[in-house]
């Protein structure tokens, strides 16, 4: 009789369920995998099982590693080497190479290896601007977390899903994932504080009904967060929320504190994006103070990590600043140079450019052209799944006269 069969027999004789045997050490699914021979427990875990079953040490015997388990271990060892390569490619910014290399991995390793590799692929896709790919990969992460019956992993997976879908522009999906992540973060206060904060940040960024509660949770957690990328992202999110809530001075103070913590070593992606996003938040509030300096920083940082989507977002923000300063002609010139046919631009960002062009054309009295641009914006937002912005574009279109 193999180890898994001995464990199952001992558990049944003790009248225990798989959940009771696992206790606070492992999930029901893990116990099931051990009993079926799909997982190999450590010596420490074997001793734990014997203790739960009130058996003398050594009663369950040793685990015999069969050919199937041996093959799986070799596959895992190879996968670890591939994972190390993926991480190196990510550090070097070789996102396309990383994605191609990931396709060489064997399928269906142990759940922990499947999780680590899937998460690394999501991060690589986000870093490389492959947002639709990232959003799709997060569904694999969610499936693994649900299969392992792990609320902690599910919280992380839903957080990443919310981030990816928000950037793609599918607000409804982003909010659903963000709400689930925030609910888990609120339900399990014993989880890692930084991972919980990231869940609340995703909920705040996604907006909707969960935003106010997420902001309150982040404000309460802020004093306990260590200095680092998550604390910086928390200050960034709270600052943007303050700008949206018509508290620009509070928003500036929070963003200034965030700027002191960001560094390319801690979080390159956020370090590059922050100045542009901070400038955008100020301009949306009608607040121009410090924007010129932030845009100068944004241009320099964009050179460090070039990304087409972020480059277009930077052009949009610079155009908004030009309009804020009364130079609509310069704003139009900037937006006219954006290649909206590029496959690297998401439908959401394309819609944002078209929407801004429509507004500028309307101000210039070119109603027919403005209507055409507004219609294109509504179509792009609808394609992205961003129904709120699509409705705003349609509302703007209806406000324009039929003819000049």
């Amino acid at each position: 009789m193999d180890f898994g069969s001995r464990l199952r027999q001992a558990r049944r004789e003790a009248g225990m369920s798989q959940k009771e045997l696992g206790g606070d050490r492992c999930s029901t699914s893990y116990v099931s995998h051990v009993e079926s021979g799909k997982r190999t427990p450590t010596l420490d875990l074997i001793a734990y099982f014997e203790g739960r079953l009130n058996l003398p040490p050594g009663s369950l015997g040793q685990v015999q590693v069969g050919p199937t388990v041996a093959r799986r271990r070799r596959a895992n060892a190879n996968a670890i080497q591939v994972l190390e390569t993926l991480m190196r490619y990510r550090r070097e910014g070789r996102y396309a190479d990383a994605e191609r290399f990931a396709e060489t991995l064997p399928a269906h390793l142990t759940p922990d290896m499947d999780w680590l590799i899937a998460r690394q692929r999501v991060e690589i896709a986000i870093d490389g601007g492959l947002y639709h790919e990232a959003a799709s990969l997060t569904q694999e992460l969610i499936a693994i977390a649900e299969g392992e019956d792990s609320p902690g992993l599910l919280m992380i997976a839903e957080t990443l899903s919310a981030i990816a879908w928000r950037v793609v522009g599918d607000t409804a999906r982003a909010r659903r994932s963000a709400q689930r992540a925030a609910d888990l973060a609120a339900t399990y206060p014993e989880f890692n504080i930084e991972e919980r904060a990231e869940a609340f940040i995703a909920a705040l960024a996604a907006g909707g009904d969960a935003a106010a509660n997420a902001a309150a949770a982040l404000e309460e957690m802020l004093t306990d967060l260590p200095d680092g990328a998550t604390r910086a992202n928390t200050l960034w999110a709270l600052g943007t929320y303050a700008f949206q809530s018509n508290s620009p001075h509070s928003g500036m103070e929070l963003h200034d504190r965030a700027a002191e913590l960001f560094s390319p070593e801690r979080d390159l992606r956020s370090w590059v994006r922050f100045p542009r996003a901070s400038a955008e938040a100020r301009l949306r509030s009608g607040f121009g103070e410090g924007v010129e300096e932030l845009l100068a920083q944004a241009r320099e940082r964009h050179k460090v990590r070039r990304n087409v989507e972020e480059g277009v977002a930077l052009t949009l923000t610079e155009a908004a600043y030009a309009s804020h300063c009364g130079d609509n002609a310069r704003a139009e010139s900037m937006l006219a140079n954006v290649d909206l046919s590029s496959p690297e631009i998401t439908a959401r960002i394309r819609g944002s450019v078209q929407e801004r062009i429509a507004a500028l054309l309307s101000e210039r009295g070119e109603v027919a052209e403005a209507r055409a641009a507004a219609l294109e914006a509504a179509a792009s937002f609808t394609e992205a799944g961003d129904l709120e912005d699509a409705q705003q574009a349609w509302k703007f279109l209806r406000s324009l006269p039929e003819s000049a």
Side-chain angles (χ1 to χ4, degrees):
M1 185 182 295
D2 62 24
F3 178 84
S5 298
R6 292 197 301 274
L7 178 64
R8 184 188 298 110
Q9 180 178 326
R11 175 179 62 77
R12 288 174 176 173
E13 290 175 354
M16 295 180 72
S17 67
Q18 291 178 335
K19 182 177 181 180
E20 289 170 334
L21 177 59
D24 59 2
R25 284 286 299 275
C26 51
S27 67
T28 301
S29 62
Y30 183 88
V31 174
S32 176
H33 287 153
V34 171
E35 291 185 348
S36 63
K38 294 179 181 178
R39 300 298 295 269
T40 304
T42 61
L43 292 175
D44 180 62
L45 194 54
I46 292 173
Y48 172 77
F49 287 151
E50 289 172 338
R52 296 284 292 173
L53 295 166
N54 292 318
L55 296 173
S59 297
L60 291 174
Q62 298 296 313
V63 179
Q64 298 297 318
V65 179
T68 300
V69 174
R71 284 195 300 271
R72 186 173 292 276
R73 282 184 172 178
R74 286 196 297 272
N76 280 347
N78 292 335
I80 290 171
Q81 290 181 319
V82 174
L83 183 59
E84 289 290 339
T85 302
L86 285 177
M87 294 169 67
R88 176 165 54 81
Y89 281 163
R90 184 184 173 198
R91 288 193 301 270
E92 296 171 358
R94 297 165 60 185
Y95 307 117
D97 287 343
E99 184 55 33
R100 282 194 296 271
F101 198 70
E103 294 173 359
T104 68
L105 284 167
H108 306 302
L109 302 166
T110 56
D112 50 356
M113 285 304 306
D114 284 342
W115 167 269
L116 289 172
I117 291 165
R119 177 167 185 179
Q120 194 65 215
R121 292 184 68 185
V122 170
E123 298 280 4
I124 287 167
I126 292 175
D127 283 349
L130 306 172
Y131 301 116
H132 280 96
E133 178 76 11
S136 177
L137 286 167
T138 59
Q139 305 315 296
E140 182 181 339
L141 271 184
I142 290 170
I144 295 171
E146 289 175 340
E148 287 296 287
D149 192 24
S150 170
L153 293 183
L154 186 59
M155 180 184 72
I156 294 170
E158 294 286 11
T159 298
L160 290 169
S161 176
I163 292 168
W165 285 118
R166 181 174 63 82
V167 177
V168 166
D170 195 327
T171 306
R173 284 189 177 186
R175 287 180 179 172
R176 283 197 297 270
S177 281
Q179 180 69 69
R180 288 192 287 262
D183 287 346
L184 289 165
T187 303
Y188 296 93
E190 67 272 20
F191 286 172
N192 178 276
I193 187 171
E194 291 174 294
E195 290 172 351
R196 291 177 63 235
E198 294 291 350
F200 287 126
I201 290 169
L204 184 54
D209 296 338
N213 288 337
L218 287 170
E219 287 171 355
E220 185 177 338
M221 297 168 70
L222 189 57
T223 55
D224 295 323
L225 281 170
D227 285 347
T230 301
R231 182 178 177 84
N233 283 322
T234 300
L235 290 164
W236 177 2
L238 288 173
T240 300
Y241 186 69
F243 278 116
Q244 294 168 348
S245 304
N246 297 316
S247 300
H249 293 289
S250 176
M252 286 181 62
E253 187 266 333
L254 288 163
H255 276 192
D256 286 345
R257 289 167 62 189
E260 294 175 359
L261 293 175
F262 278 122
S263 72
E265 295 80 17
R266 284 175 170 169
D267 185 346
L268 177 61
R269 184 170 70 227
S270 294
W271 177 79
V272 170
R273 291 182 59 241
F274 173 73
R276 193 272 309 159
S278 182
E280 179 184 352
R282 296 181 190 211
L283 289 170
R284 286 183 181 274
S285 299
F287 209 70
E289 183 178 339
V291 169
E292 189 170 351
E293 292 80 2
L294 285 168
L295 289 175
Q297 282 184 14
R299 285 190 290 271
E300 289 302 311
R301 294 184 186 185
H302 182 63
K303 295 175 184 177
V304 175
R305 180 180 174 273
R306 292 190 179 277
N307 175 286
V308 174
E309 179 95 355
E310 183 61 26
V312 175
L314 177 55
T315 299
L316 262 171
T317 308
E318 290 187 300
Y321 183 57
S323 293
H324 178 84
C325 296
D327 194 348
N328 281 348
R330 182 164 176 264
E332 278 192 63
S333 176
M334 289 178 177
L335 296 176
N337 290 324
V338 176
D339 180 12
L340 295 180
S341 65
S342 170
E344 296 181 74
I345 296 176
T346 62
R348 177 176 177 270
I349 199 77
R350 185 171 69 244
S352 297
V353 173
Q354 292 161 335
E355 183 180 49
R356 185 60 194 146
I357 289 173
L360 290 169
L361 290 169
S362 173
E363 290 180 23
R364 193 143 54 87
E366 297 185 15
V367 178
E369 292 82 356
R371 288 180 61 83
L375 184 60
E376 290 175 343
S380 293
F381 286 134
T382 302
E383 178 188 340
D386 192 344
L387 300 185
E388 288 186 9
D389 280 339
Q391 289 171 353
Q392 287 298 317
W394 278 111
K395 183 178 179 181
F396 176 73
L397 177 61
R398 288 193 296 269
S399 73
L400 296 171
E402 290 291 337
S403 59

